[in-house]
Amino acid sequence: AQTVTQSQPEMSVQEAETVTLSCTYDTSESNYYLFWYKQPPSRQMILVIRQEAYKQQNATENRFSVNFQKAAKSFSLKISDSQLGDTAMYFCAFMIYTGANSKLTFGKGITLSVRP
Amino acid sequence: DGGITQSPKYLFRKEGQNVTLSCEQNLNHDAMYWYRQDPGQGLRLIYYSQIVNDFQKGDIAEGYSVSREKKESFPLTVTSAQKNPTAFYLCASSPPGHLSSGANVLTFGAGSRLTVL
C-alpha cells in the first residue's frame, strides 16, 4: 500500500519570505504522479502543482516549486514571496496511474499561516 | 462554467437515518471520487468510479454506498451502518489520459458538511 507522510502539522511564515513544506511517500512503483493541493478557509481544494515521477526536472508554477528527490521518496513544496492568500491547509498527494484503477492518496496535511 | 456541484452544503441527520449526498459534474470527466475529511486525518477515499455502471471501494467504504448510472452523477449514500458519519465530504472528478494533458488531475466540488444529531 502507498502511504504519504506530512510530518509537520503546522507552519508559520512571514509575508514575503520563503517557506518549504515537507512530504515523503512510500511505494514500490516506479511510475507515479505527485501533487500538492491547497485548501483555503473556504475549503475548496485547489491544485497547486504536479510532478510526473519519470521527469527529473522539478516542476514550477509561478511562486511555487517542488524539490523532487525520487531516490529519497521526498516531494517538498517551496513557496516563495509568501502572500497572505497562501494561508491554507496544504496536502501532498500520490497517484499510481494504472489506467482503470487510478486513485489519489493524500497525506494528513499541513496548516500554513502567513503573518502580515 | 464547467465544474462540480455538491449538494446540500450542510446536512443534519438523526441517528439511524440514511442520507444521500449529491455530486454532479459537467466537465465530461470519466472518473469520479468521494473523499471524507476529518480534522487531523487528511482526505480518505470512500469510493471511486472510472466508468459508468462500475465503481470500486476505497479505503473506508464501510457504511457507505454509491451508484454511477450516469457519467455526470455519482451520489453517495451514508447509511445507518456508518458509525461516525459526522464529517466533511468532498466529491472530485478527473479526465483519463496522461498527466501532461491535464488528465488524472482531480477537480473538487465545494464539499458537503454532514452532522449527526
Side-chain angles (χ1 to χ4, degrees):
Chain A
Q2 283 62 237
T3 60
V4 179
T5 302
Q6 295 180 254
S7 57
Q8 308 151 300
E10 296 182 3
M11 288 191 75
S12 179
V13 64
Q14 193 74 33
E15 191 177 9
E17 293 188 346
T18 295
V19 63
T20 298
L21 311 182
S22 301
C23 173
T24 59
Y25 57 93
D26 187 25
T27 182
S28 57
E29 302 288 335
S30 58
N31 294 316
Y32 48 86
Y33 305 139
L34 293 159
F35 305 83
W36 278 97
Y37 277 86
K38 167 185 176 180
Q39 188 180 45
S42 67
R43 306 200 78 171
Q44 176 71 55
M45 293 284 285
I46 303 164
L47 176 70
V48 175
I49 200 164
R50 61 195 184 197
Q51 173 86 40
E52 293 152 283
Y54 70 86
K55 289 187 176 180
Q56 294 185 342
Q57 185 174 6
N58 289 324
T60 62
E61 288 286 343
N62 300 314
R63 298 182 296 105
F64 299 89
S65 62
V66 298
N67 182 6
F68 175 46
Q69 302 289 330
K70 192 172 184 179
K73 297 180 181 176
S74 172
F75 184 60
S76 59
L77 174 69
K78 185 171 81 172
I79 305 174
S80 303
D81 186 24
S82 296
Q83 301 175 358
L84 296 178
D86 295 333
T87 293
M89 196 153 193
Y90 287 82
F91 293 95
C92 178
F94 171 96
M95 173 187 280
I96 295 174
Y97 179 64
T98 59
N101 293 303
S102 301
K103 58 179 183 176
L104 202 59
T105 300
F106 286 85
K108 293 186 176 182
I110 175 172
T111 299
L112 176 67
S113 300
V114 180
R115 306 185 305 274
Chain B
D1 290 335
I4 298 179
T5 302
Q6 288 187 241
S7 62
K9 189 170 183 179
Y10 299 98
L11 184 61
F12 297 89
R13 189 194 92 172
K14 293 182 180 179
E15 287 192 21
Q17 286 183 335
N18 292 355
V19 293
T20 297
L21 307 181
S22 171
C23 178
E24 302 279 334
Q25 55 101 356
N26 61 3
L27 300 166
N28 199 33
H29 287 174
D30 290 322
M32 295 188 75
Y33 308 80
W34 274 106
Y35 284 90
R36 170 177 170 145
Q37 185 177 13
D38 297 280
Q41 296 278 356
L43 276 69
R44 294 181 291 170
L45 183 64
I46 305 172
Y47 269 97
Y48 63 109
S49 168
Q50 300 288 338
I51 55 173
V52 175
N53 293 322
D54 188 39
F55 48 83
Q56 290 79 40
K57 292 182 179 180
D59 301 317
I60 55 165
E62 185 176 352
Y64 299 97
S65 65
V66 293
S67 63
R68 187 84 188 277
E69 297 177 1
K70 299 186 299 181
K71 187 176 184 178
E72 302 79 17
S73 179
F74 192 41
L76 173 73
T77 296
V78 185
T79 75
S80 56
Q82 170 50 235
K83 298 305 179 188
N84 185 21
T86 294
F88 187 65
Y89 292 87
L90 284 161
C91 178
S93 69
S94 70
H98 197 270
L99 188 66
S100 60
S101 65
N104 289 294
V105 175
L106 269 62
T107 298
F108 284 85
S112 293
R113 173 72 184 177
L114 172 64
T115 302
V116 173
L117 301 174

